Amino acid sequence: MATCPECDGEIEVDEFDVDKGDQLSCPECGSALEVVGISPLELDLAPEDDDDDDDDDLDDEDDVEEDADEDEDDQEDKDPEE
């Protein structure tokens, strides 16, 4: 049995089924937790995953490319062909 550091809810985890560094979520509050100690079993909030931020950066780059394409299209509409 372990305690969630976020909501103090009891989490039923067998210390023989987990290893240090394993991640799980609290059934009470849904927080992402990491096993930081085995004997006694200790949980802490899992570090935030920075991979999500990288995905957002890629989306921003796509938006910039789309804006550039739209600007080129607008420029073609404004320039009369001679």
Side-chain angles (χ1 to χ4, degrees):
M1 191 71 81
T3 303
C4 174
E6 184 73 16
C7 71
D8 293 326
E10 292 293 320
I11 302 172
E12 193 169 327
V13 179
D14 186 350
E15 65 184 49
F16 299 107
D17 290 339
V18 294
D19 293 317
K20 192 172 182 179
D22 284 354
Q23 294 193 355
L24 48 104
S25 63
C26 174
E28 296 279 329
C29 68
S31 293
L33 306 173
E34 181 176 8
V35 177
V36 294
I38 297 296
S39 186
L41 185 60
E42 283 186 68
L43 302 174
D44 198 1
L45 293 175
E48 291 187 19
D49 192 10
D50 289 339
D51 291 342
D52 293 340
D53 294 339
D54 294 342
D55 293 342
D56 292 342
D57 292 344
L58 294 175
D59 292 340
D60 293 342
E61 290 173 8
D62 293 341
D63 292 341
V64 170
E65 290 176 15
E66 289 174 8
D67 290 342
D69 291 342
E70 289 175 9
D71 290 344
E72 288 176 10
D73 292 341
D74 290 343
Q75 191 70 342
E76 289 174 4
D77 293 340
K78 291 179 184 176
D79 289 338
E81 291 183 23
E82 293 180 28

